Amino acid sequence: MELILTKNIHKLNSESIDVYLSGGGYRSHEKALKTMTPDQVIEEVKKSGIRGRGGAGFPMGGKWGFVPKDDSRPHYMVCNADESEPGTFKDRIIIEKDPHLLIEGIIIGSYAIRAHLAFIYIRGEYVHGYNILKKAIAETYDKGFLGKNILGTGFNLDLILHRGAGAYICGEETALMDSIEGKRGNPRLKPPFPAQIGIFKNPTNINNVETLANVPAIIEKGGEWYSKIGRANNTGTKLYCLSGHIKRPGVYELPLGIPLRELIYNHGGGMLQDDRKLKAVIPGGSSVPVLTADQVDVLMDFDSLQAAGSMLGSAGIIVMDDSVCMVKATHRITKFYAHESCGQCTPCREGTGWMEKLLRRMEAGRGENGDTELLYDVAQNILGNTICPLGDAAAMPVMSFVEKFREEFEFHISNKRCMV
Amino acid sequence: MSFSPEFERKVGDIIREYPNREAILLPLLYMIQSERGFLSKEDELYAAEKAGVSPAWIRGVVTFYTMFQGKEIGKYLIQVCTTLSCFLRGSDSILEHIKQRLGIDVGGTTPDKKFTLVTVECLGSCGTAPVMQINDDYYEDLDIEKVDEILNSLP
């Protein structure tokens, strides 16, 4: 299989502009700026069928097309590099090992949506990645690929690297916009969508790192070429992140739609300990519903996982063997969302904390009869009742763990200890 | 409490870079924090004036983000990730070991002001779990021996 996103990462000094150029880099932005109109770029991306890699899976070309064309306001392009979903560590590889692939994608995207100022919003903890990107951006300006009159085409673009400061919610696009504006990262109600009213009240387009890193290849080889990789409506390759009880954890670039079983056993090398059995897998980062061991033949793409009652999300695959107590695992996940709730909506602010307390109590052997139902009920009352998807992200795993491993919760309550 | 002309010049640079005055806030707070080690009330007032927002706005921002320190911390800030992937690979025992070794609880600072220990929610390094961050650096694939080696090596 031809690698799109990770083809450079094993090269020596892969993060430098010279290495990127020697591998044919920055030819696509030249092609786009010199031979294509912004609308032709959007058309090519639409043809590729690529869906956003940040979690929601919205078609990228469609999103670019929403940014108004005849509008005198400034337009902004934002790259979401706030990767912080537990189980997900794919964007970091691009940021640290191939920053120019991302920058080239941002330049082409900015041209397509008629933006002259772009931002990369990088999570605060990624200090190393921040320094690498800072250097890469400076190199790009030096070569004249950023700044005024790029390649003599008359197109101007500035790129600001903006550091988050430790808040998971800022990965949600409207909270991210508030954070760029120097505010607390509180999500906004949609509509209006960022394409109409984004940062500084101007049209704004926001894409994930991995999504934008696909753009140079789509422009170089064409949308049709790209659309043949993967499966219908789920095109392209994907960076799958494998972690947990697995022999070879890491990031794997493979086409969308490969079976989860193949990822775990062929690429990931199977269970960490040979005498342990697979118990459960979270396929898309900690916010998506858990799968049981007998569901691992599911195909890893947006539609197949949805049909299986879960989500592809960020493809952060967390593998758990039979030594894991599901009550404890649920507690760990819930603790995260209780900590990261921005506090704006009551169901999420109160509900995540309530779920965490219930699970902590069960874990400590102080669970009471009816706690499992109460836990499920609280989760159900968060679901769909908040401004942003963090509420759903907190509720969905809890509901799925209770639905699929209810006996473990009940056992914990009656026996004051783990079942495993 | 004042800053060097060089610092003021850098603040001027960010103000010119951003399309909006308030938007300089996060980079400005980072700059102040790296200069001072933490953000004092006076620093917050300075930031409020530079960004053209109220002191209450700054308070809200500083307390919202976990990476802004409102009080003095140790020379080394140890952040242990305890989220699911790290937990599955044994982060609990790593955290327990560090607590015992340093004689402090999560949130505490050693009396010699060398170490501050906190837990952190997912460092995005799940493939090399368990992991901790000390100041700007990540330490991955940890076990107890490795943690001891790392802590011993810090001057």
Side-chain angles (χ1 to χ4, degrees):
Chain A
M1 189 205 80
E2 190 177 350
L3 297 174
I4 297 172
L5 302 158
T6 56
K7 63 177 193 294
N8 295 325
I9 63 167
H10 299 296
K11 292 180 185 166
L12 190 68
N13 302 324
S14 61
E15 76 287 356
S16 82
I17 196 161
D18 291 332
V19 172
Y20 186 66
L21 283 166
S22 68
Y26 285 112
R27 279 191 208 145
S28 296
H29 96 298
E30 188 171 357
K31 181 180 175 185
L33 267 56
K34 286 187 172 167
T35 70
M36 298 167 84
T37 65
D39 288 346
Q40 284 171 331
V41 173
I42 295 177
E43 264 326 294
E44 211 55 48
V45 172
K46 278 185 183 163
K47 254 189 245 167
S48 76
I50 184 173
R51 294 168 69 175
R53 304 300 199 231
F58 192 81
M60 184 193 200
K63 200 173 186 181
W64 284 9
F66 290 153
V67 180
K69 291 188 174 69
D70 307 313
D71 195 306
S72 57
R73 295 177 294 167
H75 292 183
Y76 300 114
M77 169 59 99
V78 179
C79 166
N80 185 346
D82 191 62
E83 176 164 73
S84 17
E85 169 85 1
T88 312
F89 46 101
K90 62 188 179 68
D91 294 343
R92 195 177 144 211
I93 287 222
I94 298 172
I95 292 165
E96 293 182 4
K97 301 284 184 190
D98 204 358
H100 288 285
L101 182 69
L102 174 62
I103 295 171
E104 188 174 10
I106 292 171
I107 298 171
I108 298 169
S110 302
Y111 174 71
I113 66 149
R114 299 154 171 90
H116 301 294
L117 182 61
F119 290 86
I120 299 177
Y121 185 96
I122 184 167
R123 71 174 299 190
E125 287 87 349
Y126 281 0
V127 185
H128 190 50
Y130 175 83
N131 291 329
I132 288 173
L133 274 173
K134 206 164 130 186
K135 186 161 171 272
I137 291 170
E139 287 174 331
T140 314
Y141 270 104
D142 285 347
K143 293 277 181 198
F145 301 158
L146 277 173
K148 297 247 178 303
N149 192 20
I150 299 172
L151 303 172
T153 59
F155 177 64
N156 306 326
L157 179 68
D158 283 307
L159 176 57
I160 295 179
L161 181 59
H162 188 93
R163 224 182 132 191
Y168 166 76
I169 187 58
C170 291
E172 193 279 330
E173 61 177 10
T174 61
L176 187 154
M177 297 196 303
D178 268 26
S179 189
I180 286 184
E181 291 178 356
K183 300 170 184 157
R184 296 163 69 98
N186 284 341
R188 306 176 186 174
L189 268 173
K190 293 192 276 193
F193 290 96
Q196 269 72 44
I197 298 180
I199 40 174
F200 314 118
K201 298 195 167 64
N202 292 322
T204 302
N205 176 78
I206 305 178
N207 294 122
N208 175 258
V209 169
E210 186 186 348
T211 320
L212 287 164
N214 276 289
V215 175
I218 293 172
I219 295 304
E220 186 195 342
K221 296 177 179 168
E224 201 173 312
W225 164 82
Y226 190 91
S227 72
K228 295 198 172 99
I229 307 166
R231 299 176 71 239
N233 200 34
N234 295 271
T235 59
T237 63
K238 179 82 195 79
L239 297 179
Y240 298 98
C241 321
L242 277 173
S243 69
H245 293 141
I246 194 146
K247 276 209 177 67
R248 293 193 295 269
V251 176
Y252 295 86
E253 181 180 3
L254 292 157
L256 270 173
I258 71 156
L260 179 55
R261 181 187 293 280
E262 202 181 307
L263 254 169
I264 295 175
Y265 292 98
N266 300 9
H267 301 281
M271 293 292 99
L272 180 64
Q273 292 177 23
D274 292 322
D275 56 340
R276 289 281 176 193
K277 279 208 289 269
L278 176 68
K279 182 173 188 176
V281 189
I282 299 174
S286 69
S287 62
V288 313
V290 66
L291 300 173
T292 49
D294 58 0
Q295 289 181 288
V296 291
D297 287 310
V298 67
L299 303 184
M300 290 295 294
D301 62 55
F302 296 104
D303 297 335
S304 307
L305 277 159
Q306 198 180 359
S310 189
M311 287 161 77
L312 179 67
S314 55
I317 301 162
I318 307 172
V319 178
M320 291 177 265
D321 70 23
D322 57 3
S323 69
V324 181
C325 165
M326 289 294 130
V327 179
K328 185 133 192 170
T330 315
H331 182 225
R332 285 284 152 172
I333 294 172
T334 305
K335 215 169 135 187
F336 174 83
Y337 292 100
H339 183 269
E340 298 299 331
S341 171
C342 83
Q344 194 178 194
C345 312
T346 312
C348 176
R349 182 185 64 242
E350 302 299 318
T352 53
W354 193 355
M355 295 196 300
E356 195 274 324
K357 272 181 212 153
L358 280 168
L359 285 155
R360 194 180 343 137
R361 164 161 117 189
M362 281 186 207
E363 255 301 287
R366 289 184 281 105
E368 293 167 13
N369 282 336
D371 272 1
T372 314
E373 286 70 28
L374 180 59
L375 176 66
Y376 194 85
D377 190 46
V378 175
Q380 210 164 22
N381 279 289
I382 300 173
L383 196 74
N385 290 323
T386 54
I387 288 176
C388 88
L390 191 135
D392 296 348
M396 286 188 303
V398 169
M399 291 167 75
S400 70
F401 272 89
V402 171
E403 281 161 10
K404 290 178 171 163
F405 300 96
R406 179 178 284 271
E407 70 284 1
E408 283 200 39
F409 291 81
E410 296 298 344
F411 187 94
H412 236 285
I413 292 165
S414 1
N415 298 281
K416 319 275 180 223
R417 63 174 179 86
C418 296
M419 199 175 184
V420 293
Chain B
M1 299 288 274
S2 63
F3 291 94
S4 65
E6 167 69 10
F7 185 91
E8 294 283 352
R9 192 186 58 73
K10 279 190 198 155
V11 174
D13 285 347
I14 329 174
I15 293 173
R16 273 187 295 279
E17 197 181 0
Y18 278 83
N20 173 308
R21 187 95 179 199
E22 288 129 41
I24 68 161
L25 205 48
L26 263 61
L28 177 62
L29 289 170
Y30 266 124
M31 276 177 66
I32 300 171
Q33 183 163 285
S34 77
E35 194 92 346
R36 306 269 203 230
F38 71 105
L39 298 164
S40 68
K41 290 281 177 297
E42 289 82 5
D43 293 329
E44 286 184 18
L45 291 174
Y46 169 85
E49 194 201 312
K50 284 285 171 193
V53 298
S54 70
W57 178 309
I58 300 277
R59 205 79 273 275
V61 169
V62 170
T63 52
F64 184 82
Y65 297 99
T66 56
M67 292 181 72
F68 294 132
Q69 310 296 339
K71 61 174 191 207
E72 201 177 350
I73 56 165
K75 184 178 172 192
Y76 297 105
L77 176 66
I78 307 174
Q79 305 186 68
V80 181
C81 179
T82 57
T83 323
L84 189 60
S85 296
C86 278
F87 159 69
L88 294 171
R89 302 290 281 228
S91 61
D92 274 10
S93 54
I94 302 279
L95 181 66
E96 207 43 51
H97 177 73
I98 299 174
K99 272 159 68 175
Q100 286 193 356
R101 188 189 150 127
L102 300 180
I104 51 173
D105 213 334
V106 172
T109 299
T110 53
D112 61 0
K113 302 260 168 70
K114 189 171 175 184
F115 296 107
T116 295
L117 174 67
V118 295
T119 56
V120 63
E121 300 296 343
C122 195
L123 287 171
S125 196
C126 322
T128 44
V131 61
M132 66 178 172
Q133 183 172 12
I134 302 181
N135 294 348
D136 290 351
D137 298 314
Y138 274 35
Y139 297 90
E140 296 160 289
D141 285 317
L142 295 174
D143 55 36
I144 304 284
E145 291 74 37
K146 219 167 157 181
V147 167
D148 281 335
E149 259 172 52
I150 294 159
L151 295 182
N152 288 337
S153 72
L154 296 172

